[in-house]
Amino acid sequence: MAIVAGVDFGTLSVRATLVDDGKGPLGLGTAEYPLRRKREDPDHASQSHADHLEALTLAMKRALASAGIDGADVAALAVDTTGSTVVMVDEALRPLGDYYLWCDHRAKAEAERITEVAKAENLEALRWCGGAYSSEFGLAKLLHWLRHNPDGRGRFATALEHCDMMVATLTGVTHVSQIRRSVCAMGHKWMWNPRWGGLPPQDFLSKVDPLLDGIRDRLGGLYGTSDTVAGRLSEKWAARLGLKPGIPVPIGALDAHWDAIGAGCRIGDAVNVVGTSTCVMAIGPDVPPIQGVSGVVPGSIHPSLVGIEAGLSATGDMFEAIARRAGTSIRALSEGLERYRPGETGLLRLAWDNGDRNVLSRPDLGGITLGWNLLHTAQDELFAAIEGAAFHTRIILERMMEGGVPVKRVVNAGGIPQNNPVLNQVYANVLGRPVLVPDGLPTGLGSSIFASLAAGSYPDVESAQDAICRPYRVFEPDPAARAVYEPLYGLFRTLYFGFGGAAAPAALGHVLPELKRLARPRS
Ligand SMILES: Nc1ncnc2c1ncn2[C@@H]1O[C@H](COP(=O)(O)OP(=O)(O)O)[C@@H](O)[C@H]1O
Ligand SMILES: O=C(CO)[C@@H](O)[C@@H](O)COP(=O)(O)O
């Protein structure tokens, strides 16, 4: 048994969790970093490598202090991050600018072009990412950068997912030829899959845009699952983090994937990782591609199973925006939420404030709240937004089940379910089934599980989960809520597919994009 460190880079902060892998969590440290957004361009969301590194140093220091242990006793370190969060680098892995964060939607035109050519070429990879390539995904972001940075192209060597850049930095990689890449990040966000020999063929990529000529080679490196050790903690980073040099660092992964493992995910479970956004995660031995579900990838969540990911592009940030607009905090606005009856507000809220990730894949949609009267409050809107996130999650879960993913248990993981019991109860009522919530789950527990595998404490994910995962608290559905939520869900579906443009006739699908177009500044 060993003490290990699990690092989890979220949207606004990094969390370092120290775990005794035979006993449980010892300490936690967090540190925030800025997210750069622009009111004049809501699609822009960026972060800097330097800010990430500074925050990691601080978070680890805080974690060691809170655990009261000597950093020299930490036997392994693992890192997960958001994604597709992409940075372009030169040959020595120096950033050529800031990261395009996962929620950056500047690459809409590039994503549409990739989807268009993929459809024309009948590219198999498109089916495995749900039938549309997203502006949240890496290839679109890379092409956007190439199109908009003609002066940087000469120094461009490759693009890296945040998890791969962190692992490369911490293990002292100084040249692109030594890069290790995460099958999880590259599989879900870059159409990498061993089924068709890795990335999509170069002639497809060149057809998308000649700026992508030769890109397949530039996205090389050793691709691996997270049970593979990527390297050893460098002297420099051991000194900075207060840890021992030479400890193993496994190949990284996307945050929600390891959060699912940390929440005890097994075959038959759907894990809703509810945080800034929501990722709905499941695993299976053999899963077909599912229309509208933006990723079915072997080895992503669990190294030897197929991982399925779908989600909502806004959740906690939508709640926070409701509180901010009302001049208050989410904590204050949440007080008294437990007094609401299902559907009491008379409001129906679509969680499209950051576009739709699944099942429509439409970043051009915007949030809707329907049913306002003159007496409604911000708290009413918050409750309706929680119900809306639950309805949207139900649409995704139903699509997954129709696609052949068995869902026997629903687990709520991520940061919000730990702090908002009302949300868990609403989810149980809307889904009409029990919702399990790991009791006292520290963010980063999943990351510790992969650190523990790298330390050699356990032979496989399941035995590490048995030792490390938390027991569940169960939220049972209230049968009386069903009478309200069933008809309300019917209305929600009508709105969702109506304004999402997928219903026939698609009479309303143009309304939200048109609102956005008219809001743009005129030249
Ligand atoms: N009590 C709460 N109820 C609802 N949302 C909350 C609450 N506390 C924090 N949030 C939201 O949770 C999000 C952060 O989620 P978390 O899972 O901690 O981080 P991340 O998504 O970065 O991994 C923020 O958008 C924040 O506004
Ligand atoms: O899309 C993924 C993972 O695939 C996430 O990184 C992204 O939704 C952001 O996650 P968080 O909401 O910060 O937990």
Side-chain angles (χ1 to χ4, degrees):
M1 295 303 107
I3 295 176
V4 295
V7 172
D8 169 59
F9 279 90
T11 301
L12 297 172
S13 63
V14 56
R15 284 73 54 133
T17 309
L18 293 165
V19 171
D20 176 330
D21 66 14
K23 291 192 188 136
L26 298 173
L28 174 72
T30 69
E32 296 190 348
Y33 30 76
L35 161 62
R36 296 192 184 86
R37 282 208 178 265
K38 295 180 176 173
R39 194 173 150 76
E40 69 279 12
D41 182 7
D43 289 333
H44 181 115
S46 60
Q47 269 170 1
S48 95
H49 181 55
D51 288 344
H52 287 152
L53 295 181
E54 204 175 304
L56 172 63
T57 310
L58 199 57
M60 190 58 77
K61 204 174 177 179
R62 289 174 175 159
L64 289 168
S66 100
I69 59 156
D70 183 348
D73 292 335
V74 174
L77 166 75
V79 184
D80 68 48
T81 67
T82 67
S84 186
T85 295
V86 184
V87 67
M88 315 318 150
V89 297
D90 69 7
E91 278 211 341
L93 270 68
R94 285 177 296 237
L96 299 175
D98 283 346
Y99 278 94
Y100 283 66
L101 206 68
W102 64 271
C103 49
D104 188 302
H105 288 152
R106 275 176 287 173
K108 281 197 196 90
E110 289 72 18
E112 275 166 23
R113 173 76 187 146
I114 292 168
T115 302
E116 178 194 32
V117 179
K119 279 186 179 159
E121 300 279 307
N122 204 12
L123 190 80
E124 192 187 355
L126 192 68
R127 291 195 304 126
W128 293 84
C129 61
Y133 196 77
S134 164
S135 59
E136 288 186 0
F137 291 174
L139 274 172
K141 286 171 171 163
L142 166 59
L143 180 56
H144 183 274
W145 186 88
L146 289 169
R147 284 180 175 175
H148 292 85
N149 290 277
D151 298 343
R153 284 181 214 149
R155 290 178 56 214
F156 169 77
T158 192
L160 281 167
E161 279 289 334
H162 186 189
C163 60
D164 295 331
M165 179 67 164
M166 283 314 307
V167 166
T169 305
L170 295 176
T171 57
V173 168
T174 51
H175 192 265
V176 282
S177 58
Q178 304 155 340
I179 286 171
R180 304 280 183 266
R181 293 192 195 259
S182 155
V183 154
C184 170
M186 299 306 285
H188 281 275
K189 315 292 180 181
W190 295 75
M191 299 198 283
W192 185 94
N193 194 316
R195 182 182 272 272
W196 47 85
L199 292 165
Q202 182 56 55
D203 54 340
F204 160 75
L205 296 164
S206 296
K207 257 181 214 150
V208 168
D209 191 313
L211 279 173
L212 294 177
D213 282 351
I215 205 68
R216 217 172 176 275
D217 292 341
R218 285 181 185 258
L219 293 172
L222 186 114
Y223 285 64
T225 47
S226 297
D227 51 351
T228 314
V229 171
R232 306 259 154 196
L233 188 65
S234 70
E235 296 273 351
K236 175 179 159 187
W237 275 96
R240 235 178 122 172
L241 298 178
L243 304 176
K244 197 168 55 184
I247 60 172
V249 181
I251 286 182
L254 299 169
D255 49 1
H257 292 243
W258 283 6
D259 287 343
I261 293 295
C265 184
R266 296 285 170 95
I267 294 173
D269 292 346
V271 182
N272 304 317
V273 181
V274 191
T276 308
S277 62
T278 296
C279 295
V280 182
M281 320 295 297
I283 47 180
D286 188 20
V287 181
I290 306 168
Q291 179 65 28
V293 167
S294 62
V296 176
V297 173
S300 62
I301 298 173
H302 184 294
S304 41
L305 294 170
V306 176
I308 305 126
E309 177 192 340
L312 279 68
S313 289
T315 307
D317 47 4
M318 168 181 63
F319 303 153
E320 196 174 83
I322 293 169
R324 193 180 57 240
R325 285 194 288 268
T328 182
S329 69
I330 181 73
R331 185 178 289 266
L333 201 60
S334 300
E335 270 169 36
L337 272 183
E338 64 285 351
R339 289 195 289 272
Y340 279 80
R341 279 183 290 108
E344 165 180 334
T345 65
L347 297 173
L348 205 46
R349 181 78 167 80
L350 281 111
W352 280 340
D353 303 47
N354 196 20
D356 180 275
R357 187 185 285 176
N358 301 113
V359 296
L360 300 170
S361 190
R362 295 236 356 224
D364 55 350
L365 299 177
I368 298 182
T369 311
L370 215 74
W372 289 113
N373 66 34
L374 297 175
L375 300 179
H376 274 125
T377 64
Q379 195 174 47
D380 294 338
E381 188 191 357
L382 176 61
F383 189 74
I386 293 172
E387 292 178 321
F391 289 137
H392 192 155
T393 302
R394 181 164 162 182
I395 286 188
I396 292 173
L397 287 172
E398 285 178 358
R399 180 63 63 90
M400 281 187 175
M401 289 188 280
E402 284 156 21
V405 180
V407 178
K408 300 204 174 86
R409 296 196 306 181
V410 175
V411 178
N412 269 6
I416 297 181
Q418 295 300 312
N419 301 312
N420 195 325
V422 172
L423 177 135
N424 298 320
Q425 189 58 54
V426 169
Y427 275 50
N429 292 345
V430 164
L431 301 177
R433 56 201 300 169
V435 167
L436 281 64
V437 181
D439 205 6
L441 175 76
T443 338
L445 200 69
S447 187
S448 316
I449 287 176
F450 285 93
S452 170
L453 292 183
S457 298
Y458 295 101
D460 52 39
V461 170
E462 287 76 8
S463 5
Q465 280 178 314
D466 286 343
I468 296 174
C469 289
R470 310 288 307 162
Y472 292 117
R473 184 174 164 205
V474 182
F475 289 78
E476 293 289 348
D478 170 8
R482 213 171 167 77
V484 179
Y485 279 143
E486 284 310 299
L488 215 46
Y489 179 57
L491 293 177
F492 184 89
R493 284 184 64 91
T494 306
L495 275 186
Y496 181 87
F497 290 107
F499 276 98
L508 300 172
H510 65 289
V511 174
L512 293 164
E514 187 62 2
L515 275 182
K516 286 197 178 181
R517 192 184 67 75
L518 292 169
R520 262 184 237 131
R522 282 169 217 294
S523 43

